[in-house]
Amino acid sequence: MIRRVRQAYRRLRLGTRLALGLGALALVVFAIVGTALTTYMRDYLSAQLNEQLKLAQVAQSRSIADSGSLTGKKYYRWYYAVYDVSADGTPVLRRPEDAGDLPGDPAGVADFTALARAQTSTGEEVLRTEHLRGEGVYRLRACSAGPGVVLVSGAPMDAIEGTVRRLVTVQVVTFGLALLALVVCGRAMLRRGLKPLSDMAHTAHGIASHDLTESAARLHLRAHAPGGGPEVEELRTAFNTMLEHIDDSLAVRARAEQRLRSFVADASHELRTPLMSVRGYADLFQYAAANAPEERDRHLARLRAEAARMGVLLDDLLLLARLDAAEVETPLRMADADLVALVEQAADAFRASHPGHPLTVLPGPDSVRLRLDAHRVRQVLDNLLTNAAVHTPPGTPVSVAVSVTGDAALVRICDEGPGVPPGDRERVFDRFYRVDKARSRDRGGSGLGLSVARSLADAHGGSLTLAGAAGPTVFALALPTTSSG
């Protein structure tokens, strides 16, 4: 039975459980207050009755001393007994006509006599509460009414008990109504106060009904119900912040999935071209080997060139994959190196491979020692310089400048070509993106050079940006100097 009650209680809503808990607490408080009030009232009325008995016995003692018997007005249902103390100290009830008003039951007279003996033995007034058969509960008081005389008086306590019973009844009814009103009103107030929590629960159920497996899934639901106090407002703010974070994460995931699809599609497209070329030149090589031996070497050279191109593309894809997973295994081999020397080496290689583009290394520091991967930084410089040669007409000047500002070393590569169109500036670092797609593919570009360069710069803790808004193209490579050796 108790187990069932507990299970039923646990199934109740929070507002109902709080209201019942508040009612139980109020019931305990009402019980304590009612008990204290009833006890105080009983004690107060009993003290008044004792005082009334005392005053009545003072007057009766004077009557006994003056006339030898009880005279004067007597209270209704009050009993009196006068005892004379014998030589041996035993109280003896006077003659019935002089003894006073006695209970009709002999057992009641015996109670009066026992109280008189107790007063005689102690010499002080004695108070007792006895139940007289056929009469009810009485308060008995024995005192000395003069030399050798003991007066015992009894007053009914029906009025006290009746008053206490009426007080208890009033308390039960009043406290019961107050408890009922407290539970009902408290439940309504708690329900209103917990409405924002219900709104959050409704929002959570709405979220649960969404299919978050779709790549375009978004969470536009928010908890907006006002009220509830500062604590609920704090919870609502945290709840909405969590939803916004989840929504942003879903958007990032959707963009990442879209980029992955585009990356896979672009990679497949870029790999298809050299593969088809390899297949075509392989067929031509087979045909030339059988029918035109003088063409065989030329077809073999083209076959190797296409295979090399595909190898470079695969190397770039592998490097990007390793850079994306740099938290697992970094692809960099850090060591102390001179950035100025790397720039000069890249410049010499550019002059040898692109003689139609004059290159100038602007004056700067003689040496900039940094902790970096020299091979990868050289790859970044080669990519940027090659990009300047591929996307500018022959004869376009190119310049390189090295400087140190604050905690970063800066390499600026500038060409005097037509520049990057405004609509393409934000996407030049995207993978497989080409400003001039047809010309870039003809010249062998895969659209990964700038993406690889930026990823390598980020892996070094630096940055690669396209400076300026229009005019000459300026790429700025920044590398941190804080970890220099």
Side-chain angles (χ1 to χ4, degrees), residues 3-226:
R3 186 176 181 180
R4 292 181 180 178
V5 172
R6 288 179 177 175
Q7 292 177 350
Y9 177 77
R10 292 171 182 170
R11 287 193 296 266
L12 296 176
R13 296 183 65 85
L14 178 60
T16 303
R17 294 170 64 176
L18 290 175
L20 291 177
L22 183 63
L25 180 61
L27 181 62
V28 173
V29 173
F30 289 162
I32 294 175
V33 172
T35 302
L37 183 60
T38 302
T39 303
Y40 171 78
M41 182 60 68
R42 185 188 298 273
D43 293 343
Y44 175 76
L45 294 177
S46 297
Q48 277 193 328
L49 182 60
N50 295 338
E51 187 65 21
Q52 190 176 4
L53 276 171
K54 180 178 179 180
L55 293 176
Q57 285 185 331
V58 169
Q60 291 165 355
S61 296
R62 293 174 183 171
S63 174
I64 294 173
D66 294 341
S67 61
S69 62
L70 294 173
T71 59
K73 183 178 180 180
K74 300 181 179 64
Y75 294 104
Y76 175 69
R77 293 184 62 202
W78 281 45
Y79 294 114
Y80 310 94
V82 180
Y83 291 86
D84 294 318
V85 182
S86 61
D88 58 355
T90 302
V92 179
L93 185 65
R94 288 187 178 182
R95 298 189 310 273
E97 59 272 15
D98 297 328
D101 296 332
L102 295 173
D105 186 61
V109 177
D111 292 333
F112 274 64
T113 303
L115 195 66
R117 291 195 187 98
Q119 196 280 333
T120 303
S121 62
T122 60
E124 299 177 355
E125 64 179 37
V126 179
L127 278 171
R128 287 182 183 175
T129 301
E130 300 288 347
H131 184 275
L132 303 183
R133 185 181 302 173
E135 299 291 341
V137 179
Y138 268 71
R139 176 61 58 80
L140 305 181
R141 186 177 189 272
C143 66
S144 175
V149 180
V150 176
L151 174 61
V152 179
S153 301
M157 299 185 66
D158 297 347
I160 296 177
E161 296 299 327
T163 302
V164 170
R165 282 194 297 271
R166 286 192 294 272
L167 177 62
V168 171
T169 302
V170 171
Q171 288 178 351
V172 170
V173 175
T174 304
F175 288 166
L177 294 176
L179 182 62
L180 179 62
L182 180 64
V183 172
V184 174
C185 296
R187 177 67 182 91
M189 294 177 63
L190 289 171
R191 189 172 186 177
R192 182 177 180 182
L194 295 175
K195 188 177 183 303
L197 298 181
S198 300
D199 176 67
M200 281 184 266
H202 178 72
T203 303
H205 287 302
I207 293 172
S209 63
H210 278 63
D211 185 8
L212 301 181
T213 59
E214 299 179 359
S215 59
R218 297 297 299 271
L219 291 178
H220 300 291
L221 297 176
R222 298 293 185 272
H224 298 296

Side-chain angles (χ1 to χ4, degrees), residues 312-386:
V312 171
L313 177 60
L314 291 175
D315 289 341
D316 288 342
L317 291 175
L318 177 61
L319 178 59
L320 286 173
R322 294 181 64 190
L323 290 172
D324 289 341
E327 68 278 3
V328 178
E329 179 183 0
T330 177
L332 302 181
R333 297 178 180 179
M334 309 297 285
D336 290 340
D338 188 356
L339 180 62
V340 175
L342 291 176
V343 171
E344 292 176 350
Q345 294 172 11
D348 293 339
F350 178 81
R351 292 189 185 101
S353 59
H354 300 88
H357 289 76
L359 175 64
T360 303
V361 179
L362 300 178
D366 295 333
S367 176
V368 178
R369 302 292 298 182
L370 301 177
R371 186 165 184 80
L372 46 77
D373 187 330
H375 174 70
R376 295 305 183 185
V377 171
R378 172 65 186 277
Q379 183 178 355
V380 174
L381 296 174
D382 291 339
N383 284 351
L384 295 177
L385 290 171
T386 302

Side-chain angles (χ1 to χ4, degrees), residues 56 59 273 377 423 435 480:
T273 301
V377 171
V435 175

